[in-house]
Amino acid sequence: MSFDIPDDRRYLESHEWALETDGVVRVGISDFAQDELGDVVFVELPDEGDDLAQEAEFGVVESIKAVSDLYAPVGGEVVAINNELFDAPELVNEDPFGEGWMLEIDPDDPDDLKALLSADEYEEQIA
């Protein structure tokens, strides 16, 4: 089975993706992760203004099969959360790289992204 792995993002081994745009890092979970989870029924996210450490747990995604912790790809302040997910958690399954995004972080150190996996490295990990 092949999964969508956009090459404009960086990835954590725990299956979160990070996309930097205008100094802000948008975060979600990969197509592989949402497929492994099955139908997502609940998402728990931090509050705007919360400070996260790189690779620290920031929330939970719950599906009909499992509950999985979510980890921050970069450290920094949460500047936005996707409130749509509270009423429509299925967006994580339907569009994990678009409408299913989870939060945005103002990174403490933008170079943190360089430590993450490239799309090719991530693809090798899940192969």
Side-chain angles (χ1 to χ4, degrees):
M1 178 174 237
S2 73
F3 296 98
D4 189 18
I5 306 173
D7 62 6
D8 62 347
R9 291 147 218 261
R10 304 293 287 188
Y11 298 85
L12 277 173
E13 290 181 7
S14 54
H15 310 294
E16 292 81 8
W17 56 262
L19 176 64
E20 188 272 327
T21 306
D22 297 327
V24 174
V25 177
R26 182 170 276 193
V27 179
I29 64 170
S30 70
D31 187 28
F32 174 82
Q34 71 77 26
D35 184 72
E36 288 288 301
L37 283 166
D39 294 337
V40 173
V41 296
F42 177 76
V43 178
E44 179 182 307
L45 298 172
D47 294 322
E48 287 183 27
D50 283 359
D51 281 317
L52 302 175
Q54 185 177 27
E55 296 188 16
E57 184 182 321
F58 72 76
V60 172
V61 62
E62 184 176 333
S63 72
I64 56 173
K65 291 200 256 183
V67 175
S68 294
D69 294 329
L70 298 165
Y71 298 94
V74 296
E77 180 184 350
V78 177
V79 293
I81 59 169
N82 186 353
N83 288 307
E84 297 293 317
L85 298 181
F86 299 126
D87 292 327
E90 66 275 5
L91 290 172
V92 173
N93 295 114
E94 294 168 2
D95 191 10
F97 296 109
E99 295 300 312
W101 67 276
M102 296 182 172
L103 60 111
E104 292 181 339
I105 300 170
D106 180 9
D108 292 332
D109 183 355
D111 285 342
D112 284 350
L113 284 173
K114 294 177 183 172
L116 304 179
L117 300 172
S118 68
D120 288 341
E121 291 166 334
Y122 181 70
E123 187 171 20
E124 287 176 22
Q125 177 193 306
I126 64 172

